[in-house]
Amino acid sequence: SLEDYEETVKKAKEAWKVWADIPAPKRGEIVRQIGDALRQKIKVLGSLVSLEMGKIFVEGVGEVQEYVDVCDYAVGLSRMIGGPVLPSERPGHALIEQWNPVGLVGIITAFNFPVAVYGWNSAIAMICGNACLWKGAPTTSLISVAVTKIIAKVLEENNVPGAICSLACGGAEIGTAMAKDERMDLLSFTGSTKVGKQVALMVQERFGRSLLELGGNNAIVVFEDADLNLVIPSALFAAVGTAGQRCTTARRLFLHESIHDEVVEKLAKAYAQVRIGDPWDSDTLYGPLHTKEAVKMYLDAVEQAKQQGGSVVCGGKVINRPGNYVEPTIVTGLPHNAPIVHTETFAPILYVLKFKAEEEVFAWNNEVKQGLSSSIFTKDLGRIFRWLGPKGSDCGIVNVNIPTSGAEIGGAFGGEKHTGGGRESGSDSWKLYMRRST
């Protein structure tokens, strides 16, 4: 309730006073212990992610592993954060840029990565000297509670308040309260572009700071010189993994006209071999969608794709079994600018589109509102550098000969345009969790 929320914010603010006084390397040591505590429970937490979210067990474990890895990264970072000492024009003076924590970081995460996204944010925020207040997705609250209890135990064993990492379970009213609350010194929001826009406006209205990780409409571009042995598994993994419920899922596949038919045929054969089943079964590669609403969105999108001139090569239907299972789907024959192609449907639907020339397909990659992830498959070195350059992909994540999904914690994760412009995890994204004093 909002009363619970109020009490939680007060406790978190009090706890921050203790945390901010602890030297950064010592904070890093506590974060290291959090990583170890998660490591010890990685299988049970992975099972819980799988049970509650619906992704397959190995992906659930992989997600907890990301949190463990980012804890390791943060430990090193806790000894490295620094600002320059610059030449002062005044005799006998020093000019210093010092980084200080912002204070309380609010972290709102989505159902599809109910552990990893919190991990990226909290591990870095903590070594920077911030307290955290987490609001997980209402549909994955068990995993939020489990993770928070593990963290609180480590904090309390180190004689610091568990409230340094607080949790408020709840729906939109708690999210709205966080967005409007001036006591939130930074609000990190992961979710849809539609809700992210509302959050951004509420935070901006109070001159607050936000870090946004919103939608993606990611493309894989395959040129005529691509290695198709790489392309087929990559496209399959990027489009079908997590049942199409990643922000980095491949939703558009641009194929050079000379290889279009061959790739579609091979990809359809690969789709037919995807093992669908219980996400807890080690044989399963593809589990259910998260909710009944997601199934309806999937069916609506397939219908719209047909109405706009698309042909369903495979999939397109609900699977007759308990749970929110749908067939992984390939649609061909749509123009690059069809309205449905420009819509991010959070489901396993891949739109396969034909192109002739590099210039046009780079423009098509960039014409959607979102700018999260992108991939090309080619052996042409000049083309690779054009793709990475100023007139290439306008996404935050630009891949070559690997799929759109997946990221490495050492690099800054995030995207441009309607993806929100935020960056989390590695590189210099720590700066977002701090304020600079010159």
Side-chain angles (χ1 to χ4, degrees):
S1 69
L2 286 166
E3 292 75 39
D4 296 331
Y5 166 77
E6 189 55 40
E7 184 190 350
T8 309
V9 174
K10 283 179 181 153
K11 289 263 172 68
K13 279 287 194 190
E14 281 302 310
W16 176 74
K17 292 175 186 169
V18 176
W19 191 239
D21 280 340
I22 294 171
K26 174 68 179 138
R27 294 195 294 253
E29 163 56 21
I30 294 172
V31 169
R32 185 192 67 74
Q33 292 171 32
I34 290 170
D36 279 349
L38 292 164
R39 228 183 227 110
Q40 285 161 18
K41 298 211 165 58
I42 195 161
K43 287 199 167 154
V44 68
L45 288 170
S47 282
L48 189 52
V49 171
S50 186
L51 174 75
E52 206 171 21
M53 185 271 154
K55 63 175 67 172
I56 59 173
F57 172 67
V58 287
E59 284 189 20
V61 171
E63 196 182 325
V64 184
Q65 185 64 50
E66 268 192 61
Y67 193 168
V68 171
D69 291 345
V70 86
C71 285
D72 286 349
Y73 177 88
V75 178
L77 194 59
S78 71
R79 292 182 181 271
M80 290 162 65
I81 284 179
V85 179
L86 301 159
S88 172
E89 63 190 35
R90 290 171 284 198
H93 284 68
L95 184 59
I96 298 171
E97 282 189 2
Q98 175 161 330
W99 290 90
N100 287 308
V102 292
L104 179 57
V105 176
I107 303 165
I108 299 177
T109 60
F111 75 86
N112 61 333
F113 282 88
V115 175
V117 173
Y118 175 66
W120 295 344
N121 280 278
S122 66
I124 306 293
M126 285 176 78
I127 61 107
C128 290
N130 300 298
C132 300
L133 174 58
W134 182 17
K135 187 192 100 61
T139 50
T140 55
S141 52
L142 292 178
I143 194 70
S144 308
V145 171
V147 168
T148 300
K149 288 200 167 193
I150 290 167
I151 298 167
K153 186 167 184 283
V154 173
L155 290 167
E156 283 158 9
E157 281 168 358
N158 282 275
N159 300 314
V160 293
I164 290 162
C165 288
S166 292
L167 172 71
C169 291
E173 64 169 5
I174 302 297
T176 302
M178 289 171 79
K180 290 182 172 175
D181 194 337
E182 292 203 340
R183 296 167 298 180
M184 293 291 139
D185 299 293
L186 168 68
L187 187 63
S188 171
F189 174 86
T190 302
S192 69
T193 296
K194 184 173 162 244
V195 179
K197 187 177 183 182
Q198 295 167 349
V199 168
L201 290 169
M202 286 187 269
V203 174
Q204 187 57 48
E205 199 166 38
R206 60 175 174 85
F207 288 107
R209 278 203 206 188
S210 60
L211 192 173
L212 303 171
E213 295 287 355
L214 312 176
N217 191 344
N218 315 298
I220 295 177
V221 180
V222 184
F223 286 90
E224 63 276 23
D225 64 341
D227 179 349
L228 296 191
N229 293 326
L230 279 179
V231 170
I232 305 303
S234 295
L236 178 87
F237 175 75
V240 169
T242 327
Q245 298 169 110
R246 292 184 182 141
C247 45
T248 53
T249 291
R251 310 204 178 276
R252 299 175 295 150
L253 176 62
F254 291 109
L255 301 173
H256 189 266
E257 59 184 9
S258 63
I259 54 164
H260 177 276
D261 295 356
E262 183 189 353
V263 173
V264 170
E265 191 184 326
K266 285 183 168 167
L267 198 55
K269 278 185 185 154
Y271 266 54
Q273 291 167 41
V274 172
R275 295 191 299 278
I276 299 169
D278 182 340
W280 269 2
D281 186 335
S282 60
D283 254 6
T284 301
L285 292 176
Y286 173 96
L289 290 178
H290 188 55
T291 58
K292 290 271 178 281
E293 291 77 48
V295 176
K296 186 181 180 308
M297 279 189 329
Y298 162 87
L299 288 171
D300 288 350
V302 170
E303 199 46 51
Q304 284 177 51
K306 286 179 188 166
Q307 282 168 8
Q308 290 167 28
S311 306
V312 176
V313 173
C314 63
K317 296 188 288 295
V318 170
I319 298 170
N320 183 19
R321 60 175 291 163
N324 307 315
Y325 286 85
V326 300
E327 294 173 345
T329 302
I330 298 173
V331 177
T332 57
L334 285 164
H336 66 94
N337 55 357
I340 192 65
V341 174
H342 280 234
T343 306
E344 183 196 21
T345 305
F346 226 57
I349 304 171
L350 182 66
Y351 303 109
V352 181
L353 311 145
K354 257 185 211 179
F355 75 92
K356 282 185 168 71
E358 177 188 306
E359 204 173 311
E360 72 173 359
V361 80
F362 282 9
W364 293 353
N365 175 74
N366 296 349
E367 73 184 353
V368 295
K369 293 267 198 276
Q370 304 87 342
L372 180 53
S373 187
S374 54
S375 302
I376 62 163
F377 284 79
T378 183
K379 296 189 184 105
D380 182 330
L381 209 52
R383 181 181 285 140
I384 288 167
F385 279 96
R386 289 190 292 277
W387 172 245
L388 300 172
K391 292 179 179 174
S393 170
D394 66 358
C395 294
I397 301 170
V398 187
N399 298 293
V400 177
N401 294 327
I402 55 167
T404 54
S405 51
E408 291 196 33
I409 58 155
F413 176 91
E416 303 298 330
K417 304 187 301 193
H418 286 210
T419 303
R423 292 296 185 276
E424 290 169 344
S425 191
S427 184
D428 64 349
S429 61
W430 59 267
K431 290 178 177 175
L432 293 162
Y433 301 88
M434 303 195 88
R435 56 183 179 79
R436 192 185 331 214
S437 307
T438 306

